[in-house]
Amino acid sequence: MDKKVSFSQVLSIGLMLFAMFLGAGNVIFAPMLGQQAGTSTWLAMGGFLITGVGLVLLAIIALTRGGGTVEKLAGRVHPRFAAFFSILLFLTLGPIYVIPRTTSVVYEISLKPLIQSEANEWLYLFVFSVLFILLTVFLSWDTKKFVDNLGKIITPIFSILLGVLIIKSFITPMGKIGDPQEGYLNDVFLRGFTQGYYTMDILAAFIFGGIFIKTISSLGIKSEKEVSKVFIKAGIITIIGLIALQVSMAWIGASSVDAIGLKENGGEVLAESAIALFGKFGVYIIGTVIFLTGITTNVACLAAVSEYFERIMPSLTYKKWLIVFSILGLSITNFGLNAILTLASPILLLLYPLAIALIALIFANNLFKGYQSVYVSTVVGVGLVALLDSLKEAHILTHAINNTFGFIPLFEHGVGWISTGLVGFLIGLIVAKTKKESSVIISGQVNDKVS
């Protein structure tokens, strides 16, 4: 029998979910969207909130239905796909993207505004990143107490200080919302939809989902159905918090252009908006928030990727993997935030559609009886177009790809994978019926195989 979970326990889980996704890098994209979208900000945010917030809860529930780990979930397609997807996912969460992004964001917001001269800026970034990543490694050496205890302190501090900044931006707006910039003149909703990829929250949910599953199991909840119920209740709390946060960040960006001008990245938007609202004291407010959340994000991600690689490649210990990935992360960090975001874009345009496809398939599993051919064909359909989008983002064969594949519905908007994924789904269903494949039905307790 499952134990009954009290409201206070649901609230605690909801706040834990909120804290986990409240990383330093997570607050830089909505301000930039606000600056660029201008008067179209709220339409763009509609798309942004779907991929940046709304699908997070579904990703975690999908994980509970798919076996509890990203490898088991992706393994429904094929073991080799599971290995490819998981390795690329963990590397992106760690040294390739999240660790360099977080370190750069902390530098851009906490330190850069205090530097009087732009001369030798690369040296400031290098020294800061070395010290920050060394601190990350030190705290990652044994994460058991750090993440739990510091998380209880960071969430209230983050919420209060950021709340002060947000309230001030509403009471004394920095300026009027301007006109949309290039890129937000047409198809604004779909543009916001793809910009939500950069929060990486769906992908992070696949990594951190196991923590939430263990937390709920420790309360005496065992069945998949009851776990999902608790997640939905806790997730409402999390989603309300994340929506309020991201909409407020978009407002700050949209109203900041008159005061600070157009900026190259969301880190600069936040830092200079804080100065515009509070003077130099604003740097210390936002700097404190970003530093604390940044170090927690880095520790959680570095620990997660090191633990994963120790498991699949035990020839190196956890602590040796920490060192390897910290050096790789440090190297990428010193290309600068703009370069990091540019480097990561093609990878995210490949991973995010695949992740969304896996979520949709696991929820629809029992409707198509869990046929493997459906999983394979759908992922192939999604993956091929996602790969083309990645190549275009990397400026590889852009014109040739557009001319050859422009006939695919929604392809020009970066979501053509939806069309080809649906075609793949239908092909897979026909193949499965023809081959008379065995069904794999997901029940409330375990995944039962039915002939």
Side-chain angles (χ1 to χ4, degrees), residues 288-345:
T288 300
V289 170
I290 297 302
F291 181 86
L292 290 175
T293 55
I295 197 66
T296 304
T297 298
N298 264 16
V299 169
C301 291
L302 184 59
V305 70
S306 298
E307 287 171 352
Y308 173 74
F309 273 85
E310 182 190 33
R311 178 154 50 87
I312 65 171
M313 299 180 187
S315 55
L316 287 183
T317 64
Y318 166 77
K319 292 180 179 178
K320 287 180 180 178
W321 280 118
L322 281 181
I323 295 170
V324 169
F325 291 132
S326 63
I327 292 172
L328 179 57
L330 175 64
S331 302
I332 296 175
T333 298
N334 281 272
F335 285 101
L337 183 56
N338 293 332
I340 292 166
L341 297 178
T342 301
L343 171 69
S345 290

Side-chain angles (χ1 to χ4, degrees), residues 241-311:
L242 288 174
I243 289 174
L245 171 70
Q246 298 291 12
V247 169
S248 299
M249 291 294 97
W251 156 255
I252 288 176
S255 61
S256 69
V257 179
D258 286 346
I260 67 173
L262 293 169
K263 298 299 172 185
E264 291 188 1
N265 61 69
E268 290 182 356
V269 175
L270 269 183
E272 297 201 25
S273 294
I275 293 172
L277 290 167
F278 288 99
K280 279 292 182 182
F281 184 67
V283 177
Y284 300 109
I285 292 177
I286 196 68
T288 300
V289 170
I290 297 302
F291 181 86
L292 290 175
T293 55
I295 197 66
T296 304
T297 298
N298 264 16
V299 169
C301 291
L302 184 59
V305 70
S306 298
E307 287 171 352
Y308 173 74
F309 273 85
E310 182 190 33
R311 178 154 50 87

Side-chain angles (χ1 to χ4, degrees), residues 104 107-109 111-113 115-129 264-265 268 333-338:
S104 297
Y107 168 76
E108 290 272 352
I109 296 178
L111 184 63
K112 187 177 178 180
I115 298 173
Q116 300 298 322
S117 173
E118 293 185 4
N120 296 323
E121 186 180 319
W122 67 271
L123 183 59
Y124 289 109
L125 173 60
F126 176 74
V127 173
F128 175 83
S129 60
E264 291 188 1
N265 61 69
E268 290 182 356
T333 298
N334 281 272
F335 285 101
L337 183 56
N338 293 332

Side-chain angles (χ1 to χ4, degrees), residues 56 152 248:
V56 170
K152 293 175 183 176
S248 299

Side-chain angles (χ1 to χ4, degrees), residues 222-243:
K222 303 300 180 185
S223 73
E224 178 271 326
K225 184 177 180 181
E226 291 303 315
V227 167
S228 295
K229 282 183 179 179
V230 174
F231 266 131
I232 290 171
K233 292 176 182 177
I236 291 172
I237 297 169
T238 303
I239 288 174
I240 289 173
L242 288 174
I243 289 174

Side-chain angles (χ1 to χ4, degrees), residues 110-290:
S110 300
L111 184 63
K112 187 177 178 180
L114 300 175
I115 298 173
Q116 300 298 322
S117 173
E118 293 185 4
N120 296 323
E121 186 180 319
W122 67 271
L123 183 59
Y124 289 109
L125 173 60
F126 176 74
V127 173
F128 175 83
S129 60
V130 168
L131 294 175
F132 193 76
I133 290 181
L134 279 175
L135 179 60
T136 300
V137 173
F138 173 74
L139 295 172
S140 302
W141 220 249
D142 184 4
T143 60
K144 292 178 183 177
K145 294 182 179 180
F146 170 75
V147 175
D148 182 54
N149 294 335
L150 198 54
K152 293 175 183 176
I153 300 170
I154 282 178
T155 304
I157 292 176
F158 185 102
S159 301
I160 291 170
L161 292 179
L162 201 54
V164 168
L165 183 70
I166 291 167
I167 291 169
K168 183 72 163 64
S169 74
F170 280 107
I171 295 174
T172 58
M174 289 175 279
K176 295 181 180 179
I177 297 177
D179 295 326
Q181 302 298 307
E182 186 177 357
Y184 286 92
L185 297 174
N186 301 296
D187 307 309
V188 178
F189 181 86
L190 291 175
R191 173 75 170 173
F193 185 90
T194 55
Q195 287 300 299
Y197 294 177
Y198 296 95
T199 65
M200 247 194 97
D201 279 353
I202 292 180
L203 305 182
F206 282 153
I207 303 300
F208 298 134
I211 298 173
F212 310 143
I213 294 170
K214 289 178 183 177
T215 300
I216 291 181
S217 296
S218 70
L219 299 176
I221 306 298
K222 303 300 180 185
S223 73
E224 178 271 326
K225 184 177 180 181
E226 291 303 315
V227 167
S228 295
K229 282 183 179 179
V230 174
F231 266 131
I232 290 171
K233 292 176 182 177
I236 291 172
I237 297 169
T238 303
I239 288 174
I240 289 173
L242 288 174
I243 289 174
L245 171 70
Q246 298 291 12
V247 169
S248 299
M249 291 294 97
W251 156 255
I252 288 176
S255 61
S256 69
V257 179
D258 286 346
I260 67 173
L262 293 169
K263 298 299 172 185
E264 291 188 1
N265 61 69
E268 290 182 356
V269 175
L270 269 183
E272 297 201 25
S273 294
I275 293 172
L277 290 167
F278 288 99
K280 279 292 182 182
F281 184 67
V283 177
Y284 300 109
I285 292 177
I286 196 68
T288 300
V289 170
I290 297 302

